[in-house]
Amino acid sequence: MRVFVTGASGWIGSVVVSELIGAGHEVIGLARSDASAEALMAAGALVQRGNLEDLESLRAGARASDGVVHLAYIHDFSQFDENARIDLEAIKAFGAELEGSGKPLVIAGGIAGLTPGQVSTERDVVAPDHPLRARAVSEETALALAGRGVRASTVRLAPTVHGDGDHGFMATIVAAARDKGVSAYVGDGSNRWPGVHRLDAAQLFRLAVEQAPAGSVLHGIADEGVPLRSVAEVIGRQLDIPVVSLAPAQAAEHFGWIGHLLAADIPSSSTLTRELLGWQPIAPGLIEDLEKGHYFR
């Protein structure tokens, strides 16, 4: 297959590109800069210049391909609703191009917004009044394309997609610990976060392109729920600093922009995904990955 990938030069997208090419597929990657284009060509991919707001470029990439993996997203929480709108318009553009073709459209989503405090599954949905509802509309719009002849599916990723080179949640938590001189967790630290290594996530995107039935909701979850106190203890040991508990009101000052998220208890399951596609994560789990030390170099 020839697969059009948005976010193709990103931290997750680059390994999705490698996974697809390694499985014998051809990749066209969306590139908004010369540096991204060069990285894609070096990886063996073709290049489609454009960005998420260039809908004609998105449609051209989809038109030239046998399927689409949509990974790109503008991660600026200060403009959440606007970025969700841009994402939605991109999905609508893909849908207009792929309608009636039977081709796959795989989008990336997340588990944020699913019911906290219980193990969420692929059958759960975001409540209509949830603050993150705008992002969930993208998922619903994509899945509705299954009724218009598109083999659409969504891969909901764990909040921490980890691995060497990560600049996301785990790297931010480590940076806060190094800056403050203590490794902190919120409350008693028993609240759980799921995780997935980026190599396992990349394999799931490939399987979704190849196999996922139309309308599938998939969970990119390897660790169902890691207590954040356990994360703090590894960080404290690696940096040789004390491990401390914070009250929820202190979290934002200590951790910065992710402070309000770190008291969330959001375990999640991928049992249905594994049964459907035969996906079996084999890369290190979150704690093992932290113990490897690359987050602390």
Side-chain angles (χ1 to χ4, degrees):
M1 297 173 63
R2 174 181 281 188
V3 184
F4 179 46
V5 180
T6 72
S9 61
W11 189 68
I12 297 173
S14 59
V15 290
V16 172
V17 168
S18 295
E19 176 76 20
L20 289 166
I21 291 174
H25 302 295
E26 188 176 29
V27 171
I28 303 174
L30 183 69
R32 61 180 180 175
S33 68
D34 291 342
S36 293
E38 291 170 5
L40 287 168
M41 289 187 289
L46 302 174
V47 174
Q48 173 74 34
R49 293 303 295 259
N51 58 53
L52 285 184
E53 296 183 86
D54 183 352
L55 299 184
E56 181 48 45
S57 177
L58 299 184
R59 292 186 64 153
R63 189 181 311 129
S65 302
D66 302 308
V68 175
V69 175
H70 176 44
L71 294 167
Y73 195 82
I74 303 171
H75 292 283
D76 179 354
F77 290 98
S78 69
Q79 301 185 67
F80 179 80
D81 288 343
E82 173 62 12
N83 294 335
R85 183 197 65 78
I86 292 170
D87 186 58
L88 179 61
E89 292 304 314
I91 290 169
K92 288 179 178 178
F94 291 135
E97 197 61 48
L98 298 176
E99 184 171 0
S101 69
K103 295 177 180 180
L105 167 63
V106 183
I107 72 162
I111 66 159
L114 302 181
T115 305
Q118 66 182 41
V119 179
S120 63
T121 77
E122 295 87 339
R123 296 192 178 103
D124 291 314
V125 297
V126 176
D129 59 348
H130 196 279
L132 299 180
R133 176 69 187 162
R135 182 80 192 270
V137 173
S138 288
E139 176 179 289
E140 294 167 0
T141 301
L143 295 176
L145 293 170
R148 292 165 50 193
V150 181
R151 186 160 60 82
S153 62
T154 180
V155 175
R156 294 173 177 167
L157 290 169
T160 175
V161 180
H162 56 86
D164 198 355
D166 175 20
H167 296 290
F169 286 141
M170 283 301 116
T172 301
I173 294 170
V174 170
R178 184 179 280 114
D179 179 59
K180 303 292 185 179
V182 295
S183 178
Y185 55 89
V186 179
D188 67 3
S190 64
N191 59 301
R192 299 154 292 173
W193 271 25
V196 66
H197 196 283
R198 71 171 182 154
L199 296 178
D200 287 326
Q203 184 193 53
L204 180 55
F205 277 102
R206 174 181 61 79
L207 290 173
V209 168
E210 295 172 344
Q211 303 177 28
S216 297
V217 175
L218 308 168
H219 273 195
I221 306 291
D223 289 314
E224 189 170 282
V226 178
L228 288 193
R229 179 169 182 164
S230 298
V231 170
E233 288 170 346
V234 175
I235 294 171
R237 185 165 58 252
Q238 289 281 346
L239 295 179
D240 194 24
I241 57 177
V243 179
V244 302
S245 169
L246 298 178
Q250 299 173 292
E253 181 181 354
H254 182 90
F255 292 107
W257 64 275
I258 64 167
H260 67 288
L261 301 174
L262 291 178
D265 184 37
I266 48 174
S268 188
S269 166
S270 60
T271 298
L272 299 177
T273 297
R274 299 183 196 215
E275 292 174 352
L276 179 66
L277 298 182
W279 178 59
Q280 290 296 330
I282 59 173
L286 176 57
I287 295 299
E288 182 184 354
D289 201 23
L290 286 168
E291 294 281 19
K292 287 180 177 294
H294 53 79
Y295 277 94
F296 310 97
R297 290 198 291 267

